[in-house]
Amino acid sequence: MKKIKDKLDSKGTKDEIIELFFTKHLKTVDIAKKLKVGMSYITKIIQRDSRYVQEKEARRLENKEKNKIQKIIYAQNKRQKEKLERQEYQKLLVQINRDNEYLSTKKKENDLQFVNYNRSAYEYDKNSSDLVLKDNINVGYAVPKRVSNIVNPNMIKSNKIYV
């Protein structure tokens, strides 16, 4: 206990606290961690110094400026994000309107159009150029299970066929 008290009362520790606070502009928390002393002790030492009021005001003004800059950056980022969201929403509305026009027509969609619209549900038959509904997909009776004559077999140059 006496050893700790001697350390706190030493002139070197007080000078080091003053130097760290006023010269290197460290916070009291950082000084306390570095020197392994209590924050209340550091505060007591720096408040006795004549420069304390000026330093406190300078730090307050500096923080005020930092906060002002952060608010500006936050507002710019928020506006930019909102603008991007509006653009994405407009794109989505255009796509929905396009799809509504396509789906609301009186003519019936043929099998090939349906397959193109739902391409991920179909795969090529190995023996022909037909598209066949994948085995793991359960569908109603109106969905075509096989669509023939997608590609002219005479035009096939390789085993891989793409639509």
Side-chain angles (χ1 to χ4, degrees):
M1 185 75 171
K2 186 173 168 64
K3 191 176 182 182
I4 295 171
K5 190 169 183 171
D6 290 341
K7 181 183 176 187
L8 293 178
D9 290 339
S10 72
K11 185 78 170 153
T13 305
K14 291 179 183 180
D15 291 340
E16 192 172 358
I17 290 171
I18 289 172
E19 179 189 346
L20 291 173
F21 186 79
F22 292 107
T23 309
K24 296 189 178 178
H25 302 288
L26 292 180
K27 297 177 183 176
T28 55
V29 176
D30 299 330
I31 297 170
K33 286 179 184 175
K34 187 172 185 174
L35 299 179
K36 297 180 181 149
V37 294
M39 282 180 36
S40 59
Y41 177 73
I42 294 170
T43 305
K44 189 165 75 172
I45 298 295
I46 59 176
Q47 283 179 345
R48 290 181 184 162
D49 196 288
S50 60
R51 300 173 285 178
Y52 176 71
V53 175
Q54 279 183 310
E55 181 69 20
K56 188 174 179 181
E57 183 64 21
R59 288 184 185 204
R60 188 184 68 77
L61 293 173
E62 184 181 327
N63 285 335
K64 191 175 180 181
E65 286 299 315
K66 283 182 185 177
N67 286 340
K68 188 188 284 187
I69 292 169
Q70 287 299 321
K71 283 181 182 179
I72 291 169
I73 291 170
Y74 175 79
Q76 288 173 343
N77 290 341
K78 187 174 181 181
R79 277 188 229 112
Q80 187 177 12
K81 183 179 176 185
E82 288 172 351
K83 182 180 177 183
L84 289 173
E85 287 174 353
R86 280 194 304 272
Q87 289 174 346
E88 290 296 320
Y89 181 71
Q90 291 301 321
K91 287 179 187 177
L92 182 64
L93 287 178
V94 168
Q95 182 66 38
I96 289 171
N97 288 336
R98 223 182 285 141
D99 290 345
N100 282 340
E101 282 179 31
Y102 177 72
L103 294 173
S104 65
T105 57
K106 296 287 183 191
K107 61 184 176 183
K108 186 179 177 187
E109 189 177 76
N110 68 26
D111 290 347
L112 184 58
Q113 288 172 329
F114 181 84
V115 169
N116 285 336
Y117 201 70
N118 299 294
R119 182 63 184 91
S120 64
Y122 289 87
E123 60 189 0
Y124 278 104
D125 185 13
K126 293 179 178 127
N127 300 325
S128 68
S129 64
D130 297 351
L131 281 172
V132 181
L133 191 65
K134 291 180 181 176
D135 293 333
N136 60 347
I137 297 178
N138 298 322
V139 293
Y141 71 94
V143 175
K145 310 294 187 268
R146 176 181 286 271
V147 179
S148 300
N149 299 325
I150 301 297
V151 178
N152 184 346
N154 297 332
M155 301 298 288
I156 300 173
K157 293 182 181 178
S158 71
N159 293 337
K160 294 183 180 179
I161 304 170
Y162 302 98
V163 171

